[in-house]
DNA sequence: TGTCCACGTCT
DNA sequence: AAGACGTGGAC
């Protein structure tokens, strides 16, 4: 889009000045994270991609140990492509949004097998790959390939919603914020990646959601929200809805070797493709049928609680048994101490309660 | 405590 | 196009 004037509040000339101040601030204050390489070196697209997928909806601090581990185990995209999916899921366990791990693996296979191991170098082509959408395609294009992409994540939105005192509520304001962001990125060329990272570091450390540290902000002079002393009024959000309560039972079934029965979950839906324990479905009623090859024994008087994005879960621990000679598709016996770190958090909590009881 | 972050991608 | 999809830490 051509941008001559994006706001009646700030001129194009002023925008250039403010973004200069932001880039200067970034030179001094950038966060040191393992995927940021020293100035002058060429970034490895595989590392940039891996870090950006992990950082979706996830704080940098949570990402760092996972990022390091993944690169240790799978240093090249070809290594990740050749991995077994269950190994990728096991390494991702605890990081959440498991569709990211399934798509990560698929994407690695496309790049390794169909694209000669090279990530595409334009935003448009990147966006065609599994797990790469508007934000991530822009981020990789800018950071790994020096493209002038308009990188807009939640941090950029918060900074700009405040800078321009955008009264329109999210998610509708997304279009407006993208235009405002384009005003900042316009004409930057290969510096776009630096501006993106500057915005994100500013959003993470200074223009934080609550109690923003405006005294430390390099562009506070131009911030409309600050002029109004209404920083935390922006970005304006739509009303949020209540989280429903759901219930389920999780079954602890031992064999003669003292191993527990585990379950590889279906590829689709909640915790798709992840390791789990045998369980009922999770619903709004307390009584839900167990898988029919399981003989329910007795409640263990233990309950695990877990919060998902869209519901709260109460998981009752129940002892059970099966005919050891008949274990159906997707179920297998294993040492719980070998598997606990491969479980998503809801099951890990339940297993921990069981092992400590 | 409970609320928020957290647009990010896919369907 | 609105809802599904995790987690942990800050306050």
């Amino acid at each position: 889009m051509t941008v001559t004037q994006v706001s009646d509040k700030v001129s194009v000339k002023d925008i250039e000045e403010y973004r200069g101040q932001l880039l200067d601030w970034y030179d001094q204050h950038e966060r040191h994270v393992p995927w940021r390489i020293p100035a002058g070196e060429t970034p490895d697209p595989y590392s940039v991609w891996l870090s950006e997928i992990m950082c979706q909806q996830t704080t940098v601090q949570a990402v760092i140990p996972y990022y390091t581990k993944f690169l240790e185990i799978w240093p090249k995209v070809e290594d990740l492509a050749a991995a077994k999916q269950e190994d990728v899921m096991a390494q991702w366990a605890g990081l959440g949004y498991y569709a990211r791990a399934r798509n990560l693996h698929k994407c690695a296979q496309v790049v390794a097998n169909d694209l000669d191991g090279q990530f595409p170098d334009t935003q448009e082509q990147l966006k065609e790959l599994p797990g790469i959408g508007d934000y991530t395609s822009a981020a990789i294009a800018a950071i790994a390939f020096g493209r002038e992409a308009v990188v807009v994540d939640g941090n950029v939105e918060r900074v700009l919603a405040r800078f321009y005192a955008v009264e329109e509520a999210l998610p509708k304001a997304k279009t407006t914020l993208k235009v405002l962001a384009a005003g900042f990125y316009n004409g930057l060329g290969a510096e776009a990646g630096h501006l993106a990272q500057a915005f994100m570091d500013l959003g993470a450390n200074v223009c934080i959601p609550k109690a923003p540290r405006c005294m430390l902000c390099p562009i506070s002079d131009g911030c409309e929200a600050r002029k109004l002393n209404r920083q935390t009024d922006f970005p304006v959000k739509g009303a949020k809805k209540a989280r429903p309560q759901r219930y389920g039972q999780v079954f602890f079934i031992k064999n003669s070797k003292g191993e527990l029965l585990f379950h590889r979950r279906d590829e689709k839906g909640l915790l798709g493709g992840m390791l789990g324990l045998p369980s009922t479905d999770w619903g709004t009623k307390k009584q839900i049928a167990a898988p029919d090859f399981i003989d329910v024994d007795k409640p263990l008087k233990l309950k695990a609680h877990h919060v998902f994005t869209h519901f709260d879960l109460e998981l009752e621990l129940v002892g059970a048994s099966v005919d050891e000679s008949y274990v159906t598709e997707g179920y297998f016996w294993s040492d719980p101490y070998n598997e606990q770190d491969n479980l998503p958090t809801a099951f890990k909590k339940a297993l921990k309660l069981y092992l400590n009881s």
Side-chain angles (χ1 to χ4, degrees):
Chain A
M1 66 188 87
T2 304
V3 181
T4 51
Q5 184 72 42
V6 293
S7 166
D8 54 3
K9 293 166 184 164
V10 185
S11 72
V12 169
K13 185 164 170 294
D14 287 341
I15 290 173
E16 283 173 14
E17 189 186 325
Y18 288 123
R19 96 177 167 199
Q21 292 168 13
L22 182 51
L23 287 166
D24 289 346
W25 173 86
Y26 178 66
D27 281 344
Q28 299 298 316
H29 299 280
E30 75 164 300
R31 288 180 288 183
H32 292 99
V33 287
W35 49 89
R36 289 201 182 150
I37 50 129
E41 290 183 28
T42 309
D44 168 23
Y46 174 63
S47 317
V48 174
W49 163 73
L50 181 63
S51 69
E52 288 300 338
I53 299 295
M54 287 183 166
C55 283
Q56 291 167 5
Q57 314 291 89
T58 308
T59 56
V60 163
Q61 192 187 332
V63 164
I64 288 173
Y66 286 84
Y67 172 84
T68 306
K69 196 75 186 292
F70 267 67
L71 272 194
E72 255 173 47
I73 303 175
W74 301 296
K76 301 285 175 200
V77 69
E78 290 83 359
D79 304 320
L80 183 57
K84 280 191 287 185
Q85 194 205 37
E86 62 186 70
D87 291 336
V88 177
M89 303 313 284
Q91 288 304 320
W92 197 277
L95 200 54
Y97 283 128
Y98 297 100
R100 291 185 296 171
R102 300 193 300 273
N103 286 328
L104 186 85
H105 192 221
K106 282 185 210 150
C107 183
Q109 292 178 330
V110 172
V111 171
N113 302 334
D114 303 343
L115 302 176
D116 202 26
Q118 306 296 311
F119 280 85
D121 66 356
T122 66
Q123 183 180 358
E124 191 185 20
Q125 291 172 298
L126 285 161
K127 205 183 156 191
E128 289 173 17
L129 294 167
I132 299 182
D134 277 335
Y135 161 74
T136 308
S137 58
I140 298 172
I143 296 168
F145 298 111
R147 300 281 187 180
E148 188 185 301
V150 180
V151 185
V152 183
D153 77 338
N155 291 302
V156 179
E157 289 187 344
R158 183 172 57 257
V159 170
L160 291 176
R162 288 175 176 167
F163 191 79
Y164 289 107
V166 175
E167 301 282 0
E168 189 182 11
L170 286 171
K172 220 173 158 238
K174 179 182 165 60
T175 308
T176 304
L177 289 163
K178 181 104 186 231
V179 172
L180 294 171
F184 267 78
Y185 284 98
N186 185 43
L188 253 196
E191 283 288 286
H194 287 113
L195 183 64
Q197 293 174 92
F199 267 128
M200 291 186 235
D201 284 13
L202 189 73
N205 293 331
V206 176
C207 197
I208 53 182
K210 294 169 188 174
R213 300 166 178 145
C214 301
M215 313 74 64
L216 303 179
C217 178
I219 58 172
S220 63
D221 285 354
C223 180
E224 293 298 322
R226 187 164 193 240
K227 290 176 194 169
L228 300 167
N229 195 28
R230 290 177 52 207
Q231 291 93 317
T232 53
D233 288 354
F234 305 100
V236 180
K237 305 266 180 86
K240 57 244 155 201
K241 48 206 84 168
R243 229 195 312 266
Q245 181 73 53
R246 289 196 194 172
Y247 305 91
Q249 292 180 325
V250 60
F251 301 106
F252 290 83
I253 306 167
K254 257 194 283 193
N255 69 6
S256 50
K257 291 192 265 182
E259 296 170 323
L260 279 182
L261 193 62
F262 287 87
H263 177 216
R264 179 62 57 184
R265 294 173 64 84
D266 191 272
E267 182 90 4
K268 296 210 147 191
L270 189 71
L271 309 179
M274 292 300 290
L275 187 63
L277 290 159
S279 171
T280 61
D281 286 338
W282 301 339
T284 51
K285 292 183 173 180
K286 291 205 178 191
Q287 292 300 327
I288 300 163
D292 56 11
F293 68 98
I294 291 175
D295 296 319
V296 176
D297 187 0
K298 58 179 186 307
L300 299 171
K301 298 184 174 175
L302 291 170
K303 289 187 168 90
H305 296 267
H306 189 69
V307 178
F308 290 97
T309 315
H310 51 301
F311 65 93
D312 286 358
L313 178 65
E314 180 184 293
L315 219 40
E316 182 181 28
L317 281 62
V318 177
S321 57
V322 296
D323 178 346
E324 281 190 38
S325 65
Y326 173 76
V327 169
T328 190
E329 175 81 28
Y331 290 84
F332 63 96
W333 300 103
S334 190
D335 177 350
Y337 292 97
N338 288 339
E339 301 292 356
Q340 56 183 345
D341 288 339
N342 300 336
L343 291 165
T345 305
F347 287 115
K348 189 175 179 174
K349 283 180 183 171
L351 179 57
K352 198 171 212 174
L353 280 179
Y354 175 79
L355 294 174
N356 292 338
S357 67

